[in-house]
Amino acid sequence: MMENSIKATSGAAGIFSKIRAAIINGEYTFNERLPSERDLAEQYGVARGTVRAALDQLERAHMVRKKFGSGTFVCYDTRFEHEDIAEETSPLELIETRLAIEPHIIRLVVSNANNREIRKLEEALENVLHARQDPNSFSSADEAFHLTLANCSQNPLLIWMYQRINDIRSHTQWSHRKNNILTRDKIDYYNDQHTELVRAIIRRDMDSAVGRMTEHLRQAKKDLLGQIPL
Amino acid sequence: MMENSIKATSGAAGIFSKIRAAIINGEYTFNERLPSERDLAEQYGVARGTVRAALDQLERAHMVRKKFGSGTFVCYDTRFEHEDIAEETSPLELIETRLAIEPHIIRLVVSNANNREIRKLEEALENVLHARQDPNSFSSADEAFHLTLANCSQNPLLIWMYQRINDIRSHTQWSHRKNNILTRDKIDYYNDQHTELVRAIIRRDMDSAVGRMTEHLRQAKKDLLGQIPL
DNA sequence: ATAGATTGGTATAGAATTGGCACATTAAAT
DNA sequence: ATTTAATGTGCCAATTCTATACCAATCTAT
């Protein structure tokens, strides 16, 4: 029988769509914590179990992530809602794009960077060298290091494009693979390449610097391909 | 707006959102020092540890940078958040960025393009060859030709980035210079390069194709520099 | 150059909050 | 009558928040 009343789908499904709408609507933003299950229950006038069922559905829909003892967090980024680029970019395609941009960034850095920028670069190198403990902190420092390189290019458009690359890099799609790829040995190897790269830049050795960056990314590409089951 | 915005996201995630909003809002500007952790704690009515947790999140998001004994500083530049990249990109910087991306696009095209895409490329070549009448129509056809090349790379991210380049190209404040640069002779010269480029791609001659594209853009850069009064 | 104030870094323990879970009850649909 | 879904309650376990105290780096004023 048709029920014409505003009363939406009852029960968990109704709460599910309400919270979902609130997230898409931007009422709850990326990485923000939702109210507790008890609060949500009171707010929507339902039992806590119902809220839990709705949140479970949202978790299966990859819109929220529950953390025991902590809360329920939004893992849905409206920034990428319109730019579905992040969704449809594979790790391989990302590396391929970095392979296009970063070697040329190095060219600009070698020919344009002044002492002040070199210092910032050395600082970023120090940071990434000291971030050997775990894959996450290394990955974060690595992003910052490469972004610093882009900043040294002095080209706003290239910087902007590299920021977009970093956005996609940190978009969590394949981050779970990091732990497989970034072993302690790999981190040290990448850091050797980082060190040699900065030295070449300081020497203003264009060919060596560009070559090191290209090799660096080719290696990353190779490591990534090794992860894909054939 | 309803008073429905009870939001009041509690905890570190809430403080994180509030401070982030203040930074994006411009309340704290680039390189400015935030209030001390103790002050922020009092200001938001939470414990200092909670503020520290929020600041750590902000640091991981590359929005602030902490300095031992000194303070916490904003390292988020609102200049790059706005979509006015087009405004602040000079013709030279645009060419420099194309010089980074397009030769590598050619690499991918030579190794990946199938017959169907080659046909589309020949079609785009035909269009640009026939657009010799005036600078505007040539410029438009030239944009389409290079975008077709990007499409043949099969890489969504590269295609997306080249679309952004084309946005800026057509936006530009220097379009009036086109009439000075794009003489009839120049147009024919560029089109010769276009033709040779496509032939090299069809021959699957990687070195020649990449070289032609690089030379093409170097020439465009040179022509542009010739226009800038010294 | 020195001393005091300010700042971030760290550690600790207890209180409060949060999600996970079990169980009995109620209501509605089949 | 049986099944299914939502409710209400109570408790557990993981995490976070709070409130302190103290350390170490930096800045400022003398």
Side-chain angles (χ1 to χ4, degrees):
Chain A
M1 185 169 290
M2 276 299 195
E3 188 62 53
N4 229 355
S5 83
I6 317 279
K7 176 154 186 151
T9 39
S10 62
I15 308 301
F16 167 80
S17 52
K18 280 179 186 167
I19 298 180
R20 181 173 182 274
I23 292 176
I24 293 179
N25 183 19
E27 211 165 318
Y28 302 114
T29 62
F30 182 66
N31 246 349
E32 196 171 343
R33 200 186 61 184
L34 297 182
S36 70
E37 295 179 348
R38 291 167 177 88
D39 285 350
L40 284 173
E42 186 181 8
Q43 181 175 335
Y44 288 109
V46 296
R48 190 179 154 215
T50 309
V51 170
R52 283 184 56 79
L55 291 180
D56 285 345
Q57 290 185 48
L58 283 166
E59 191 170 33
R60 280 194 293 274
H62 301 112
M63 296 192 71
V64 303
R65 172 177 112 261
K66 298 215 260 189
K67 273 176 70 175
F68 196 176
S70 175
T72 306
F73 298 85
V74 178
C75 60
Y76 172 86
D77 200 333
T78 53
R79 288 181 305 176
F80 297 126
E81 172 67 5
H82 310 293
E83 314 284 3
D84 38 25
I85 285 298
E87 305 288 347
E88 52 178 302
T89 300
S90 73
L92 186 58
E93 286 160 348
L94 180 68
I95 287 275
E96 205 63 64
T97 304
R98 293 180 60 192
L99 217 29
I101 290 184
E102 298 207 52
H104 199 262
I105 283 180
I106 299 299
R107 284 200 177 83
L108 296 178
V109 173
V110 170
S111 51
N112 295 337
N114 56 36
N115 287 341
R116 187 168 155 279
E117 285 159 334
I118 295 288
R119 266 206 313 280
K120 287 207 166 190
L121 197 53
E122 288 172 324
E123 196 176 309
L125 177 63
E126 281 303 310
N127 287 337
V128 73
L129 289 185
H130 284 81
R132 333 170 39 231
Q133 309 85 356
D134 67 304
N136 283 330
S137 63
F138 171 77
S139 190
S140 173
D142 185 63
E143 284 178 23
F145 174 74
H146 285 264
L147 182 58
T148 304
L149 276 170
N151 281 326
C152 292
S153 78
Q154 305 268 43
N155 185 322
L157 181 55
L158 269 177
I159 296 170
W160 182 83
M161 287 201 161
Y162 201 77
Q163 285 173 335
R164 300 292 79 72
I165 285 181
N166 259 0
D167 287 346
I168 295 177
R169 254 187 107 177
S170 52
H171 197 237
T172 53
Q173 193 173 352
W174 56 82
S175 59
H176 58 279
R177 289 193 191 162
K178 267 192 307 211
N179 295 321
N180 297 334
I181 297 178
L182 291 178
T183 63
R184 190 63 170 262
D185 286 348
K186 270 296 168 203
I187 289 178
D188 289 342
Y189 177 67
Y190 284 153
N191 269 339
D192 285 346
Q193 294 183 317
H194 286 155
T195 305
E196 291 302 319
L197 173 64
V198 171
R199 283 186 188 155
I201 290 174
I202 293 176
R203 289 201 313 271
R204 306 284 176 178
D205 185 340
M206 176 79 80
D207 290 341
S208 174
V210 173
R212 302 237 175 234
M213 175 58 93
T214 305
E215 188 194 353
H216 182 58
L217 292 173
R218 288 239 171 87
Q219 183 65 44
K221 179 179 172 183
K222 196 175 154 192
D223 294 339
L224 188 67
L225 285 174
Q227 281 302 113
I228 298 178
L230 298 180
Chain B
M1 283 294 188
M2 301 290 192
E3 86 288 13
N4 198 350
S5 50
I6 308 176
K7 287 194 81 166
T9 311
S10 61
I15 309 299
F16 167 81
S17 298
K18 284 176 184 167
I19 298 181
R20 188 183 67 162
I23 292 175
I24 293 178
N25 186 17
E27 213 163 315
Y28 302 115
T29 61
F30 183 67
N31 260 345
E32 189 175 345
R33 208 198 74 182
L34 296 182
S36 71
E37 295 179 348
R38 291 167 178 87
D39 285 349
L40 285 172
E42 186 180 9
Q43 179 177 335
Y44 289 109
V46 296
R48 191 181 153 214
T50 308
V51 170
R52 284 185 57 78
L55 291 180
D56 284 346
Q57 290 185 46
L58 283 166
E59 192 171 32
R60 278 195 292 275
H62 303 120
M63 294 190 72
V64 304
R65 169 177 118 261
K66 292 194 193 182
K67 272 182 79 172
F68 200 171
S70 176
T72 305
F73 300 85
V74 178
C75 61
Y76 171 85
D77 203 331
T78 52
R79 290 181 305 171
F80 298 128
E81 191 59 22
H82 302 131
E83 288 296 330
D84 54 6
I85 305 293
E87 305 283 350
E88 47 184 307
T89 300
S90 75
L92 186 58
E93 287 160 347
L94 180 69
I95 287 278
E96 206 61 66
T97 304
R98 293 180 59 193
L99 215 31
I101 290 183
E102 299 207 52
H104 200 261
I105 284 181
I106 298 300
R107 282 201 177 81
L108 296 178
V109 173
V110 169
S111 52
N112 295 336
N114 55 35
N115 288 340
R116 187 168 155 278
E117 285 159 335
I118 296 287
R119 266 208 312 282
K120 287 209 166 189
L121 198 53
E122 288 173 322
E123 198 175 306
L125 178 63
E126 281 303 310
N127 288 337
V128 74
L129 289 183
H130 283 82
R132 337 171 32 233
Q133 310 85 356
D134 67 303
N136 282 331
S137 62
F138 170 76
S139 188
S140 173
D142 184 62
E143 284 178 23
F145 174 73
H146 285 264
L147 182 57
T148 304
L149 275 171
N151 281 325
C152 291
S153 77
Q154 305 268 44
N155 185 323
L157 182 54
L158 270 176
I159 295 170
W160 181 82
M161 288 200 162
Y162 201 78
Q163 285 170 341
R164 301 291 78 75
I165 284 183
N166 259 0
D167 290 346
I168 295 175
R169 251 186 110 178
S170 50
H171 170 281
T172 51
Q173 70 275 17
W174 65 83
S175 58
H176 59 280
R177 289 192 192 159
K178 268 193 307 211
N179 295 321
N180 298 335
I181 297 178
L182 291 177
T183 63
R184 190 63 168 261
D185 285 350
K186 270 296 168 203
I187 290 178
D188 288 343
Y189 176 67
Y190 284 152
N191 269 338
D192 284 348
Q193 293 183 314
H194 287 155
T195 305
E196 290 301 320
L197 173 63
V198 172
R199 282 184 186 157
I201 290 174
I202 294 177
R203 288 202 312 273
R204 307 285 177 175
D205 186 340
M206 177 80 80
D207 291 341
S208 173
V210 172
R212 300 241 174 231
M213 175 56 93
T214 305
E215 188 194 354
H216 181 58
L217 292 173
R218 289 240 171 87
Q219 183 65 45
K221 178 179 172 183
K222 194 174 155 193
D223 293 339
L224 189 67
L225 284 174
Q227 282 302 113
I228 297 176
L230 304 176

